[in-house]
Amino acid sequence: MRLSPDEMIFWQHGFLKLNGTIVFTWALMFVLAVGSKLITRNLSTELERSRWQNLLEIVVTGIEKQIEDVGLRHPKKYIGFLGTLFLFVALASLCTVIPGYEPPTGSLSTTAALALCVLVAVPFFGIEEQGLGGYLKSYIEPTVIMLPFNIISELSRTLALAVRLFGNMMSGTMILAILLTITPFIFPIAMSALGLLTGMVQAYIFSILAAVYIAAATRGRKPRPEPAQDIKA
Amino acid sequence: MLIDWFTVGAQALNFIILVWLLKRFLYKPILNAVDAREKRIAAELADADAKKAEAQKERDEFRHKNEEFDQQRAALLSKATDEAKAERQRLLDDARKAADALSAKRQEALRSDAVNLNQAIRHRTQQEVFAIAQKALTDLATTSLEERMTEVFMQRLRAMDGKAKEGLGVALKTGSELALVRSAFDLPAVQRAAIQKALNETFSAEIRVRFETAPDLISGVELTTNGQKIAWSIADYLTSLEKGVGELLKEKDNSEAKIQPKPQAKAEPQRGPKAAPKAEVKPVSKPEEAKPEAKHP
């Protein structure tokens, strides 16, 4: 029994290897990029537009609205990072309906990579917004005593991001696999539907948390206690 | 170990590539398209607002022009109405004047007709009366009409009553000028002498007389002196007759004008001609007396 698609190795050459996680990620990347390219190839600026363009506009403007709601003043600047996080995670879980597919987010390596990206993006955007001094100053606020706790918080929330997504996605796949062996009829479908819902919720949580962290860093204030702790499935 | 660090690195790289790809193919074009559409809509709305404002302005202008036009039209209409009224009044006045003139002309024509008729009647009457009288006189006597008339004149002269005779006598005697005897025809010497004689006898004095012919008397003899006159002539009767006929015609005209003639109006003309000879009586002479005398011969 595989815990993650990492163990599905297609090709290996010493340190380099081509496992299921990377291959499925590429597939998702291909679908996203080519699909976007195809749809946005003939964009209309008129009042009439194609259904696909309408769909993409809804998705993109929806994400933009969410980012703005979190408190980021220039959503267009962050939509590339935060939007891609959401779309990748959401599509990864949506595609679980395809037989033989395993979500790359079910691999701790992928979720860790995404969490690391967030870990890097937060100070990147923070420094870009309020300068190096301003960003570093936020670690010793309200007092210097808080500095270690802030650092621990920074690391722990990255770890939490990675593990939360991995746990949810992996469990979904695992439960489905186990259930198929016990009750192969009907019940796995219900669980699969539940898995899709969980996947969407996790995609939302992941990107919103990243947005909150970035918003906290760019505004030079300590983030409030993680709301995700309460929502966490 | 659940984490494969090569995979972690590869996935991070993949993610960054995906971010770039989606930025390039998804977010940028979509957001640009949305922005362009929003701009376009904003521009169209602005354009629509501008057009609306323009339309409002034009509508106001049009309304203003319409009002102006209405006012002008009303003014023109009232002016035209006034002019038409004035013209109508003028035409009516003209027509009335023309009708009046026509009516006056017609009345004038009627009057002149009446006058003509009157003259004709008078002329005819004169002729008839003269002819009848002459014929009657000729039939009754062998003497000529003129001789008879001189006789009648002399009879009247002698038959004058006291007061008139006295007045005429005084006038004849005291008159600075000669007494004038006018006759329709040139009197023969015998008759002149007879008249002279009659005068001398009547007034018991030598009366100097001058004889003169006056065809307007028609037929008769007239003695005039110092404002006094004694006469007998057919002209007197004819004048009376003419006056009677004239009154009759006038009365007829009046009754025609009144449409409903009054009974008294008819009675008057009948009385008129009878009374007329009396009105013509001269201060001294008595034409009514002459009437029966004129019938006798």
Side-chain angles (χ1 to χ4, degrees):
Chain A
M1 171 123 209
R2 285 200 302 274
L3 264 181
S4 87
D6 283 7
E7 294 162 28
M8 192 195 289
I9 293 168
F10 297 106
W11 176 81
Q12 188 160 17
H13 186 270
F15 185 63
L16 301 173
K17 56 185 160 192
L18 199 62
N19 54 29
T21 308
I22 295 169
V23 170
F24 286 132
T25 302
W26 283 352
L28 291 175
M29 282 168 70
F30 181 80
V31 168
L32 279 172
V34 172
S36 301
K37 173 71 183 163
L38 285 175
I39 292 167
T40 60
R41 193 177 44 186
N42 294 317
L43 278 182
S44 149
T45 55
E46 304 293 320
L47 290 177
E48 302 227 338
R49 59 238 189 218
S50 67
R51 294 177 185 187
W52 287 109
Q53 185 184 343
N54 227 350
L55 174 73
L56 286 194
E57 280 183 11
I58 290 167
V59 170
V60 172
T61 50
I63 293 166
E64 194 185 17
K65 186 82 177 28
Q66 284 297 323
I67 294 168
E68 204 171 9
D69 284 351
V70 167
L72 288 166
R73 269 165 300 180
H74 306 293
K76 275 178 190 163
K77 193 170 152 190
Y78 309 104
I79 195 169
F81 180 71
L82 297 171
T84 308
L85 268 182
F86 173 77
L87 287 179
F88 178 66
V89 177
L91 192 67
S93 52
L94 265 181
C95 287
T96 50
V97 293
I98 300 165
Y101 167 85
E102 283 190 38
T105 44
S107 148
L108 192 58
S109 304
T110 308
T111 57
L114 296 178
L116 282 174
C117 285
V118 173
L119 180 72
V120 174
V122 169
F124 175 80
F125 286 123
I127 289 165
E128 191 187 49
E129 191 69 25
Q130 42 182 352
L132 184 63
Y135 175 71
L136 289 178
K137 204 180 163 193
S138 66
Y139 278 97
I140 55 166
E141 277 179 352
T143 59
V144 188
I145 303 163
M146 292 302 287
L147 178 64
F149 298 104
N150 278 334
I151 292 166
I152 292 166
S153 154
E154 199 84 1
L155 294 172
S156 67
R157 75 190 184 190
T158 304
L159 185 66
L161 270 178
V163 173
R164 183 188 305 117
L165 183 59
F166 162 68
N168 277 288
M169 298 316 292
M170 183 269 289
S171 65
T173 322
M174 288 303 288
I175 287 166
L176 211 59
I178 294 163
L179 278 175
L180 277 170
T181 57
I182 302 167
T183 54
F185 300 109
I186 305 194
F187 199 59
I189 296 171
M191 287 312 293
S192 183
L194 195 64
L196 285 174
L197 180 67
T198 311
M200 293 308 292
V201 171
Q202 286 308 315
Y204 180 72
I205 290 169
F206 198 97
S207 49
I208 282 294
L209 280 177
V212 168
Y213 299 152
I214 291 167
T218 53
R219 269 184 295 177
R221 262 202 279 139
K222 292 297 288 177
R224 275 166 294 207
E226 271 185 32
Q229 299 278 356
D230 307 322
I231 304 162
K232 186 179 166 189
Chain B
M1 186 62 181
L2 285 170
I3 295 179
D4 177 50
W5 289 106
F6 171 75
T7 312
V8 170
Q11 288 296 73
L13 189 67
N14 281 340
F15 179 72
I16 288 162
I17 290 166
L18 184 63
V19 167
W20 180 79
L21 282 173
L22 288 189
K23 247 188 183 175
R24 174 124 165 54
F25 294 125
L26 181 63
Y27 306 123
K28 229 178 225 172
I30 291 285
L31 287 173
N32 284 345
V34 169
D35 283 353
R37 184 178 305 119
E38 278 175 358
K39 264 184 199 164
R40 189 194 174 85
I41 289 168
E44 275 176 8
L45 283 176
D47 189 41
D49 281 349
K51 274 185 182 156
K52 200 177 162 190
E54 199 183 337
Q56 179 79 28
K57 196 181 153 197
E58 273 180 11
R59 199 186 66 176
D60 287 350
E61 202 177 325
F62 179 73
R63 192 179 288 163
H64 183 66
K65 273 187 185 167
N66 229 0
E67 277 170 7
E68 239 173 35
F69 176 71
D70 280 352
Q71 281 175 356
Q72 278 181 0
R73 197 182 56 179
L76 281 175
L77 194 66
S78 73
K79 197 182 163 194
T81 311
D82 289 350
E83 278 176 359
K85 267 185 195 162
E87 183 67 14
R88 179 172 164 268
Q89 194 58 43
R90 195 183 65 74
L91 287 173
L92 276 176
D93 287 349
D94 284 357
R96 203 168 288 141
K97 273 181 201 161
D100 286 351
L102 208 64
S103 167
K105 206 175 166 189
R106 191 164 148 267
Q107 276 182 1
E108 188 59 40
L110 281 173
R111 202 175 295 132
S112 99
D113 280 357
V115 168
N116 288 343
L117 186 66
N118 210 356
Q119 279 178 347
I121 289 169
R122 184 178 144 193
H123 189 65
R124 187 72 180 273
T125 309
Q126 282 172 358
Q127 285 178 339
E128 289 294 322
V129 166
F130 188 70
I132 290 165
Q134 193 169 27
K135 194 167 185 291
L137 287 171
T138 313
D139 290 348
L140 286 170
T142 51
T143 52
S144 71
L145 181 60
E146 283 77 27
E147 278 175 89
R148 195 64 199 127
M149 271 193 285
T150 314
E151 272 175 40
V152 171
F153 177 70
M154 285 187 298
Q155 275 177 15
R156 283 189 61 183
L157 205 59
R158 284 179 193 120
M160 280 172 78
D161 53 340
K163 223 176 189 179
K165 190 178 171 181
E166 212 171 291
L168 190 60
V170 171
L172 285 167
K173 284 162 193 168
T174 57
S176 53
E177 292 173 6
L178 295 173
L180 179 66
V181 174
R182 293 166 80 232
S183 63
F185 312 96
D186 210 0
L187 291 172
V190 183
Q191 286 175 10
R192 285 188 187 190
I195 289 169
Q196 182 71 60
K197 195 185 166 193
L199 279 170
N200 292 349
E201 281 173 6
T202 308
F203 299 107
S204 316
E206 186 66 29
I207 306 295
R208 288 180 298 165
V209 179
R210 185 163 58 90
F211 290 94
E212 200 174 88
T213 307
D216 61 330
L217 287 175
I218 301 168
S219 180
V221 181
E222 185 187 86
L223 172 68
T224 314
T225 180
N226 210 20
Q228 297 282 338
K229 191 173 99 172
I230 181 163
W232 183 91
S233 75
I234 289 177
D236 279 347
Y237 295 115
L238 288 178
T239 306
S240 295
L241 182 62
E242 186 190 336
K243 202 169 180 186
V245 171
E247 275 177 14
L248 185 69
L249 286 171
K250 201 188 278 176
E251 206 56 46
K252 204 180 167 192
D253 285 350
N254 285 346
S255 66
E256 272 175 5
K258 280 175 186 173
I259 300 167
Q260 195 184 350
K262 288 175 185 175
Q264 289 98 330
K266 273 182 183 174
E268 271 178 50
Q270 285 169 352
R271 248 183 289 148
K274 281 177 188 172
K278 258 185 189 171
E280 286 298 305
V281 172
K282 303 297 179 286
V284 187
S285 68
K286 289 175 186 172
E288 68 268 30
E289 277 177 19
K291 233 191 238 175
E293 281 169 3
K295 282 174 188 171
H296 284 296

